[in-house]
Amino acid sequence: MGYFVPGGGIAASEQFAFNQTDVFSVDEDGQLTVSWVDNAAEWQGPITIGPSGIAAPGCFVAACRQFGLNQTDVFLFDKNGQLNVFWVDNAGGWNGPEKIGPAGFAPAGSFIAASQQIGLNQTDVFVVDKNGQLNVFWVDNAGAWNGPEKIGPAGIAAAGSFVAASRQFGLSQTDVFLVDKTGQLNVFWVDNAGAWNGPQKIGAAGFSNAGSFIAASQQFGLNQTDVFVVDKIGQLNVFWVDNAGAWNGPEKIGSAGVANPGSFLAASQQFGLSQTDVFVVDKSGQLNVFWVDNAGAWNGPEKIGPAGVASAGCMLAASQQFGLNQTDVFLMDKNGELNIFWVDNAGAWNGPLVRGNPVPAPAAGLGSNSNYFLNSACANLTGVSVTINVQTGITGSDGFGFQLNAYSAKGDVDAAQQYLIYLSPTSNPPQLTCMVDNWTASNSQIVNVQEKLATLPTHTLPAGYQLKITLQNDSKGNVTGANYLAIDNTGKTIGNQTITLLSQSGFSSTDLAPITAYQLNFVDYLNGGKTVLSSGAGTIFYSATNEVTVLSTEPSCVDWDYITLETANSVYGVMCSTPSHTFTQSFAADSSGAVIRKRGTMEHMTKLSEKLVPVGS
């Protein structure tokens, strides 16, 4: 079973003010997640947002800019039937959920449409309530959320029915669409800040199933608004309006029986072109695209990817991959894995790229001194770095440390290598320290050196700070040292220190070794301590020259099965099974405040087979 729900709800959006594409879904634990890509880099995530169990697994989510701000909002209806918003400002940490309106307002997991109220810096969210009436919630710029305001008559549609929102192109008019209980398309609208109007009936009653899925879009190259629906005979149809003219349609596209009646649709520009694309998963579980260039004739369907990849008519999302003229389409396949299909400009369609299931947690769980291992089929790793992005300030009762454990291959002298940044609870003024602590396979310490890295204003590492450890290599791949960076919440480098192994007393070239695996632990600072974290959260960004795989256990090629003695009530997020050069993992202080997963170890490490005694400084 996958991490996600097969065919489950999915939303895609720009993370505003960045060339970053975000994809949102609710996982099997009922927790909101985000996966993302920066420009043309590798996909990252998923990481979780907010609490587990807030929503039904795979429920519908909507994503939108909060207009007037560089803020990205994500909306869902929780298990209590209440609207929730999660948000992020620029590249900051995710926030929420914030509850909007009353509990029990609409069915859990109700469909939502989110849109700008065209002509205003106002964000609108639309839903059909328990009485079958369309409602709007809204926020002006950075103000407080308002609503619900009722629009049109009660009972027009089934509770929680699908709604779509769009600009009426060529006008400062916001349109909202639904298929009513009679199977007829309806539009509601507002001009600028005026009063809501509608419903206006479009086409014939009985045309489609009540509550059918809808996609609304500009027909690119024209001031034309298109609305798409799959009718009762499984054929794609388009209704349209030019500027402020009369509604037209339906016009049939493709052949009957391609898809199930009322199937989910996504519409998008094919970026780089004046081409409008419409996507549906057909009866064979294969992605299909229909398209039109400017005001030309409709084409398609063209098949994309293999048949049977997904459930017929499943939910999907389409988006620009921001920073590129690339069009992406997303769905959750039958295994509950994220699938990405894409096209560059007018090229051929590609995919699916499958973002694999999460790697099972290690036996001791994901927290404290137990985390995943990263390995490249036991090849020597080069260019290894870890970056800790602090989103919630970190405070620990006994300080804290980030320990990069690096594992050499069997037979290497420098078998267990550790590279650390830590904050001592007694340093005055508060001091970040960087450290190297390396050991032989026979449990002899080769080198232990500590250097001052940066001074902090308090014993809390503030939100917005960044720590980075980058291992250095020679031409043979041996680790020759490490560079440590500390960057404050304004982007200023406040610490930059390099520790070179061969410059340390007693360390010779015969002690150098490459590494074949590595791991990061967020624990106490030194000497086998146990810290209780009262706050702290963020992400860990892993990078290497090699393509690496995430493992639950140490690979067989390492020489020493050591783990860290220091512990903390830290927890880590799951990581994806898809091999990559880069990975992102969430971390946080466990809300229970208890030190968890206490496996025995030694002062920075010990063989599991040996007596567990603190050793070292």
Side-chain angles (χ1 to χ4, degrees), residues 215-301:
S217 169
Q218 181 178 4
Q219 187 156 328
F220 293 95
L222 313 176
N223 277 328
Q224 180 174 308
T225 308
D226 291 347
V227 180
F228 305 94
V229 65
V230 178
D231 65 21
K232 282 188 172 179
I233 61 172
Q235 188 166 18
L236 180 63
N237 288 254
V238 60
F239 301 82
W240 72 97
V241 61
D242 294 306
N243 287 278
W247 279 94
N248 303 276
E251 176 188 344
K252 296 190 178 295
I253 303 173
S255 57
V258 168
N260 290 331
S263 287
F264 200 96
L265 299 166
S268 169
Q269 181 178 5
Q270 187 157 329
F271 293 94
L273 313 176
S274 284
Q275 179 174 309
T276 310
D277 292 346
V278 182
F279 305 93
V280 66
V281 176
D282 66 20
K283 288 181 176 179
S284 73
Q286 188 169 21
L287 182 63
N288 288 245
V289 60
F290 302 80
W291 71 97
V292 62
D293 294 306
N294 285 278
W298 279 94
N299 302 277

Side-chain angles (χ1 to χ4, degrees), residues 25-251:
S25 190
V26 176
D27 67 20
E28 289 181 328
D29 297 322
Q31 189 166 21
L32 182 64
T33 72
V34 60
S35 302
W36 70 95
V37 64
D38 293 304
N39 286 276
E42 295 178 277
W43 278 92
Q44 298 295 308
I47 62 170
T48 55
I49 303 171
S52 177
I54 191 172
C59 80
F60 189 80
V61 291
C64 180
R65 182 175 187 171
Q66 188 156 330
F67 294 93
L69 312 177
N70 281 327
Q71 180 174 310
T72 310
D73 292 348
V74 184
F75 306 93
L76 59 79
F77 267 88
D78 65 22
K79 288 181 176 178
N80 297 318
Q82 188 168 22
L83 181 61
N84 287 246
V85 60
F86 305 78
W87 71 96
V88 62
D89 293 305
N90 286 277
W94 280 95
N95 303 278
E98 176 187 345
K99 308 289 186 183
I100 303 173
F105 178 75
S110 287
F111 293 107
I112 301 165
S115 167
Q116 182 181 5
Q117 187 155 329
I118 309 300
L120 312 177
N121 277 327
Q122 180 175 308
T123 309
D124 291 347
V125 179
F126 305 94
V127 66
V128 177
D129 66 20
K130 283 189 170 179
N131 297 318
Q133 187 167 22
L134 181 63
N135 288 254
V136 60
F137 301 81
W138 72 95
V139 62
D140 293 306
N141 285 277
W145 280 94
N146 302 276
E149 175 188 345
K150 296 189 179 298
I151 304 172
I156 190 171
S161 281
F162 191 82
V163 288
S166 170
R167 180 176 186 171
Q168 188 156 329
F169 293 95
L171 313 177
S172 283
Q173 180 174 308
T174 310
D175 292 348
V176 182
F177 306 93
L178 59 80
V179 177
D180 66 21
K181 287 181 177 178
T182 72
Q184 187 169 24
L185 182 63
N186 288 246
V187 60
F188 304 78
W189 70 96
V190 63
D191 294 305
N192 285 278
W196 279 95
N197 303 275
Q200 176 187 344
K201 307 291 185 180
I202 304 174
F207 171 76
S208 187
N209 293 339
S212 286
F213 294 114
I214 301 164
S217 169
Q218 181 178 4
Q219 187 156 328
F220 293 95
L222 313 176
N223 277 328
Q224 180 174 308
T225 308
D226 291 347
V227 180
F228 305 94
V229 65
V230 178
D231 65 21
K232 282 188 172 179
I233 61 172
Q235 188 166 18
L236 180 63
N237 288 254
V238 60
F239 301 82
W240 72 97
V241 61
D242 294 306
N243 287 278
W247 279 94
N248 303 276
E251 176 188 344

Side-chain angles (χ1 to χ4, degrees), residues 512-603:
L512 292 174
I515 62 169
T516 60
Y518 69 105
Q519 175 194 75
L520 191 78
N521 292 160
F522 172 34
V523 287
D524 194 74
Y525 83 109
L526 279 184
N527 300 321
K530 302 173 183 178
T531 193
V532 177
L533 300 162
S534 56
S535 66
T539 58
I540 305 162
F541 180 74
Y542 302 88
S543 179
T545 304
N546 314 60
E547 186 175 74
V548 300
T549 301
V550 178
L551 305 176
S552 299
T553 58
E554 294 166 342
S556 60
C557 53
V558 303
D559 198 43
W560 204 20
D561 55 348
Y562 72 83
I563 51 176
T564 301
L565 176 58
E566 291 78 29
T567 57
N569 57 312
S570 55
V571 290
Y572 310 115
V574 297
M575 293 168 71
C576 177
S577 61
T578 305
S580 180
H581 295 274
T582 59
F583 287 89
T584 301
Q585 182 183 39
S586 60
F587 72 88
D590 180 43
S591 59
S592 70
V595 177
I596 60 171
R597 302 175 177 89
K598 303 176 191 173
R599 296 200 295 182
T601 53
M602 61 176 253
E603 184 282 276

